[in-house]
Amino acid sequence: MNIIIVSRKHGRSRMVSSWALMFALMVMVTVSVAVSWFVFSSIPKEGVVVIDGAVAEEWQHRIAEQSSELEKTRQYTEEQINALRIKLAELQGRLTRLDALGERLVDVASLDQGEFDFSAPVAVGGPEGQTVGYEAPDFVSILDDLAVTIDNREQQLSVLNSLLGDREIQSETFVAGRPILRGWMSSRYGYRNDPFSGNKAWHDGVDFAGKEGADIVAVASGVVTWAGTRYGYGELVEISHGNGFVTRYAHCSEILVSVGDVVKKSDVVALMGSTGRSTGPHVHFEVKLYGKSVDPSKYINRVARF
């Protein structure tokens, strides 16, 4: 069999025998097989090598380092969580003590239980805000709630402390009681027969008789505004208690305070005597309110209600 080949360039044709064509195909197949064998023989039997040994060793070293860092991080996180748990227990213990102290103070001060209720949860509220996707761990939420509760308790105790302080000040400056520890009332407030002239005369205070040198005490806390001799009174101590109240202690044998001294309720300010216009050892006790004398009897028998 013959094959006719036509040339495009010259338009000529020529005949090629089938044996020549078969020979050409055999040459092409042989070359292809040879090239394939060469490529296959150049590949190692264990497979294609993507990375060399040094790179693999470096990667293993990095993985080992990262594993070590991860383990350290895990241990550190556990330590921090344990520390937070200990702190949480401590805060809860402090809160329990604060609540117990607050309830005790409320009970002692006879305050309204509803105003200072340390057993009730913290009252909070407000409009709903925009939420976020992240949710904090449970222990963080507990710490946040506990911090809010402690702040609330501290505010309550602060207000309670101020209230009790005000009550204590009012109680200390509350004019009430007798200016002596032992003795008896020998003359009352108002008109009486003057012990020297026998005529009817006004008496601005009350007299308490007792022993020479007996203690004279302040009936309320205040500041000493007079400590010395005064006509008719002999040795006189005058104390200002605020809110317009002033008390006087006259005919003392000895004065134990000075002008400007701050004295507390029941402090000994002088000793009983008979100086000035007096017939014997006693203390003349006066109470003045905004400069005007008032009957001391109602303050002597007064009961503090704080």
Side-chain angles (χ1 to χ4, degrees):
M1 181 180 66
N2 295 324
I3 297 174
I4 299 174
I5 298 175
V6 179
S7 176
R8 292 183 178 178
K9 184 176 181 181
H10 302 287
R12 297 176 182 178
S13 62
R14 63 178 178 172
M15 298 184 62
V16 178
S17 66
S18 59
W19 292 106
L21 182 60
M22 289 178 64
F23 177 77
L25 288 175
M26 289 179 64
V27 171
M28 292 178 62
V29 171
T30 302
V31 172
S32 298
V33 171
V35 171
S36 297
W37 178 85
F38 176 77
V39 173
F40 178 78
S41 63
S42 65
I43 297 176
K45 296 181 179 179
E46 58 270 16
V48 179
V49 178
V50 180
I51 55 175
D52 59 17
V55 175
E57 184 178 354
E58 176 67 19
W59 281 15
Q60 291 177 355
H61 179 67
R62 289 184 181 181
I63 291 174
E65 288 183 346
Q66 291 174 357
S67 298
S68 177
E69 291 295 328
L70 182 61
E71 179 64 20
K72 291 180 180 179
T73 302
R74 186 186 64 79
Q75 293 179 357
Y76 175 78
T77 302
E78 289 182 355
E79 291 174 357
Q80 294 300 310
I81 292 175
N82 290 333
L84 286 174
R85 288 172 179 167
I86 295 173
K87 187 65 175 178
L88 177 60
E90 178 185 348
L91 290 176
Q92 288 175 333
R94 290 177 57 189
L95 180 60
T96 300
R97 289 193 293 271
L98 284 176
D99 287 347
L101 175 60
E103 291 175 358
R104 177 60 179 164
L105 289 176
V106 170
D107 182 61
V108 170
S110 299
L111 297 175
D112 183 7
Q113 294 287 343
E115 183 178 1
F116 295 96
D117 189 356
F118 286 88
S119 61
V122 180
V124 295
E128 183 179 359
Q130 183 178 0
T131 59
V132 294
Y134 174 75
E135 293 184 1
D138 291 341
F139 68 87
V140 175
S141 300
I142 294 174
L143 286 176
D144 291 341
D145 294 341
L146 190 58
V148 172
T149 303
I150 290 177
D151 289 341
N152 177 266
R153 294 295 187 261
E154 288 179 346
Q155 291 176 7
Q156 285 184 310
L157 286 175
S158 177
V159 174
L160 182 57
N161 182 61
S162 299
L163 180 60
L164 292 178
D166 292 342
R167 287 193 174 191
E168 182 178 358
I169 292 173
Q170 292 176 13
S171 177
E172 286 291 319
T173 58
F174 189 76
V175 177
R178 291 155 50 100
I180 59 172
L181 300 178
R182 293 181 179 85
W184 64 96
M185 186 181 294
S186 56
S187 181
R188 295 186 177 276
Y189 176 83
Y191 285 102
R192 66 171 184 176
N193 292 328
D194 186 83
F196 292 96
S197 66
N199 297 325
K200 192 174 184 180
W202 178 259
H203 189 221
D204 270 342
V206 296
D207 295 336
F208 287 94
K211 293 183 179 181
E212 181 82 18
D215 290 340
I216 298 173
V217 298
V219 298
S221 298
V223 179
V224 178
T225 54
W226 184 282
T229 304
R230 195 162 185 169
Y231 178 76
Y233 291 95
E235 296 298 313
L236 171 70
V237 174
E238 181 180 88
I239 302 175
S240 175
H241 305 285
N243 296 322
F245 280 100
V246 173
T247 55
R248 288 178 175 176
Y249 313 80
H251 308 304
C252 307
S253 63
E254 183 180 355
I255 294 175
L256 305 179
V257 293
S258 302
V259 174
D261 286 352
V262 176
V263 297
K264 295 182 179 179
K265 187 180 182 69
S266 300
D267 280 355
V268 178
V269 296
L271 301 180
M272 189 179 293
S274 187
T275 59
R277 196 168 183 267
S278 172
T279 60
H282 74 287
V283 57
H284 172 80
F285 177 60
E286 289 184 12
V287 177
K288 290 187 175 293
L289 181 59
Y290 295 109
K292 296 182 179 181
S293 66
V294 293
D295 188 356
S297 299
K298 62 182 180 180
Y299 298 100
I300 292 170
N301 301 317
R302 200 178 190 187
V303 178
R305 296 180 179 178
F306 295 97

